[in-house]
């Protein structure tokens, strides 16, 4: 079940956070991020053609990202629903998460995510950033 993240007036005053995105083609960039936004939303807002076919409801596993070890302990553990979806991805490992289930917090300032090739919509031309 998708949990909606509410934004308050106080959050509007918080400074932008840093998010480092590594793309399957070797590119990388740092889109703007803010408290309360899901990583999947931030990827879409910045132009990454991420599949995310269910729109963030944690039912499709098409927003597969990998998280470097240093960041894994700062993230909340995956829910049973997320673990079930990750089990459906043949290439998933302990660093795998679903971007729709990762919500930015101040503690995650600088978070690194590696978008997996199985989560990208193949296009002839696209730019992110």
């Amino acid at each position: 079940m998708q949990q909606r993240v509410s934004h308050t007036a106080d959050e509007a005053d918080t400074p932008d956070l840093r998010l480092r995105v590594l793309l399957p083609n070797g590119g990388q960039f740092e889109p703007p991020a803010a408290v309360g936004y899901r990583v999947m939303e931030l990827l879409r807002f910045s132009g990454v053609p991420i599949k995310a076919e269910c729109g963030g409801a944690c039912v499709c596993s098409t927003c597969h990202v990998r998280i470097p070890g240093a960041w894994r302990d700062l993230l909340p553990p995956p829910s049973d629903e997320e673990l079930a979806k990750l089990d459906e991805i043949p290439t998933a490992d302990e660093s795998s998460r679903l971007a729709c289930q990762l919500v930015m917090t101040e503690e995650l300032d600088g978070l690194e995510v590696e978008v997996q090739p199985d989560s990208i919509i193949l296009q002839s031309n696209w730019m992110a950033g």
Side-chain angles (χ1 to χ4, degrees):
M1 174 182 279
Q2 181 177 3
Q3 178 183 8
R4 300 254 180 226
V5 179
S6 63
H7 305 282
T8 65
D10 291 337
E11 289 174 342
D13 295 331
T14 60
D16 283 342
L17 303 177
R18 294 174 296 124
L19 175 66
R20 184 167 178 244
V21 179
L22 307 172
L23 300 169
N25 67 3
Q28 54 184 294
F29 69 103
E30 293 187 12
V35 169
Y37 283 91
R38 296 177 185 278
V39 170
M40 181 208 71
E41 295 170 321
L42 297 168
L43 293 171
R44 281 188 165 172
F45 294 158
S46 64
V48 174
I50 192 161
K51 289 179 185 175
E53 293 168 353
C54 71
C58 194
V59 296
C60 73
S61 72
T62 58
C63 62
H64 179 205
V65 296
R66 284 206 165 87
I67 307 296
W71 291 100
R72 285 185 226 147
D73 292 337
L74 294 175
L75 295 172
S79 67
D80 289 341
E81 293 83 9
E82 183 179 1
L83 287 171
K85 288 296 141 191
L86 289 169
D87 281 344
E88 296 175 7
I89 303 170
T91 59
D93 60 24
E94 68 278 350
S95 68
S96 294
R97 293 296 300 263
L98 299 180
C100 70
Q101 299 302 295
L102 304 176
V103 178
M104 291 299 294
T105 64
E106 289 185 18
E107 294 76 27
L108 295 178
D109 186 22
L111 176 67
E112 292 183 27
V113 297
E114 182 182 331
V115 181
Q116 295 306 289
D118 57 352
S119 294
I120 293 290
I121 299 169
L122 297 178
Q123 298 179 7
S124 58
N125 296 313
W126 61 275
M127 293 188 82

